[in-house]
Amino acid sequence: MHRWSFDDIPALYGRTAVVTGSSTGLGFAIADALARRGAEVVLACRDAGRAAAAADRIWAGSPGAVVRTLLLDLASLASVHTASHRLHDEYGHIDLLVNNAGGFRRWYSLTEDGFESTIGVNHLGPFAFTGLVLDMLRDTPGARVVTVASNGHLNGTIDPADLDPEAGPRYRFAKAYNRAKLANLLFAHELDRRLRAVGSQAISVAGHPGLARTEGGREMNRLVQIVLDPRVNPLMWKLSQSAEMGALGPLRAATDPLARGGDYYGPRGRTGHPERVTSSSLSHDAVVQRRLWEESERLTGVTYPTKRSRKNEASS
């Protein structure tokens, strides 16, 4: 069986990619790989200083790469709107949007807009941002929206009418994270259906990293951080893989010429090269997808286009 790797990424010269949460870890590895294959990359991050440092690292490894930064805090709808306006001002279109930013909060907290932070940053913020820039993607031949999910979705449950069921002292970060990653895949599948319905040239796909060594556990207590640190616990080297290997799942979703709307890529287990995999049956539940979509529109105030663009009407 062919092991899909960085060498399988086609040349991306002339294409523009926006990668959220790309200053470090998985997001940086995705952005760096896209830049090395010739894409113009926009690092959409909440910390301007870290984004600039990440751009410098990419330039150091790929002299001549075109890398820009965009201030984007997915915990703030105001920031989401401002970032989308800037993209519209500076670019005529986008070829690739990688919704990578996410993670979890160890303690219960709320976003600027009053959403539980884990669902807010992983799902509601990306839902709003994607909706606001979708017009830059949907008429672009070969355009893709890539949602970075997780095996955690397999243990997720969700009630779209109540996205914050463990408020306050009942909060459990693992449940919140698994719920948010399930929301990611419900969104990715529903987005692809809606793109097809309006005759869009863009597709929605998803990928997951397996168990990758990133900064995802930086909010855990010190003992847990030590246990998860492969420099201290050699077992973690066997159970996990590098951020560069983890990035291959989302990268395959983003660049494989054979990918189709609704596809999901990643290792079949915790580690390995990416393959086309199947997400949970719940993530394919059309009723739950629609209910989550409608609730997400209500909460964020962002409504997606529902009609065919003039360009597609003229060609159909």
Side-chain angles (χ1 to χ4, degrees):
M1 180 180 296
H2 175 69
R3 294 186 171 187
W4 198 94
S5 69
F6 170 80
D7 293 335
D8 291 291
I9 301 175
L12 301 172
Y13 295 99
R15 299 179 69 80
T16 300
V18 177
V19 185
T20 69
S22 44
S23 64
T24 188
L26 190 69
F28 175 82
I30 293 169
D32 183 52
L34 295 173
R36 281 188 284 148
R37 297 303 290 160
E40 177 174 348
V41 178
V42 179
L43 308 179
C45 309
R46 64 178 178 173
D47 187 305
R50 296 182 71 178
D56 288 341
R57 289 171 59 198
I58 293 176
W59 284 322
S62 303
V66 181
V67 186
R68 303 182 187 280
T69 63
L70 175 70
L71 189 61
L72 171 65
D73 182 356
L74 292 167
S76 164
L77 289 178
S79 176
V80 167
H81 279 269
T82 299
S84 70
H85 288 317
R86 181 179 166 193
L87 277 181
H88 279 88
D89 288 342
E90 298 185 5
Y91 294 90
H93 73 279
I94 298 170
D95 299 278
L96 180 61
L97 170 61
V98 182
N99 285 318
N100 162 77
F104 59 83
R105 299 294 180 268
R106 181 184 175 199
W107 307 111
Y108 183 77
S109 63
L110 299 176
T111 70
E112 178 181 295
D113 304 284
F115 308 137
E116 185 275 309
S117 292
T118 301
I119 197 73
V121 172
N122 284 271
H123 169 64
L124 292 171
F127 177 92
F129 186 62
T130 303
L132 291 169
V133 302
L134 192 62
D135 62 315
M136 303 179 71
L137 288 144
R138 67 176 191 158
D139 296 332
T140 303
R144 300 184 187 186
V145 177
V146 179
T147 299
V148 178
S150 162
N151 280 333
H153 90 276
L154 298 168
N155 299 315
T157 60
I158 195 166
D159 176 5
D162 184 5
L163 297 178
D164 188 12
E166 295 114 15
R170 295 178 297 162
Y171 177 75
R172 296 293 182 270
F173 70 83
K175 285 187 175 182
Y177 179 73
N178 293 341
R179 178 182 303 109
K181 302 320 285 184
L182 173 58
N184 286 162
L185 283 161
L186 289 163
F187 163 72
H189 294 317
E190 178 70 1
L191 175 60
D192 191 67
R193 185 190 69 77
R194 290 176 180 247
L195 287 171
R196 292 197 307 270
V198 298
S200 174
Q201 298 193 61
I203 62 172
S204 170
V205 286
H208 78 86
L211 183 57
R213 296 187 290 273
T214 67
E215 295 184 6
R218 60 182 177 271
E219 291 197 7
M220 304 299 292
N221 65 51
R222 184 58 183 161
L223 177 60
V224 174
Q225 289 184 36
I226 292 173
V227 171
L228 295 177
D229 189 341
R231 295 169 298 182
V232 178
N233 181 5
L235 182 61
M236 285 305 299
W237 281 109
K238 295 183 179 181
L239 296 178
S240 62
Q241 60 187 5
S242 68
E244 290 72 23
M245 275 295 296
L248 291 179
L251 282 167
R252 186 168 185 180
T255 65
D256 189 335
L258 299 180
R260 298 294 179 265
D263 280 353
Y264 183 38
Y265 292 95
R268 292 200 174 275
R270 294 188 184 93
T271 62
H273 291 260
E275 304 174 40
R276 184 182 290 111
V277 293
T278 303
S279 60
S280 69
S281 58
L282 181 53
S283 74
H284 288 277
D285 188 314
V287 173
V288 180
Q289 290 170 4
R290 176 180 54 78
R291 290 177 57 213
L292 177 62
W293 190 279
E294 292 172 351
E295 182 66 4
S296 300
E297 286 190 330
R298 186 187 72 81
L299 290 171
T300 64
V302 174
T303 301
Y304 279 56
T306 58
K307 296 181 180 180
R308 287 175 174 261
S309 69
R310 292 179 179 177
K311 182 183 296 186
N312 286 325
E313 287 177 342
S315 62
S316 61

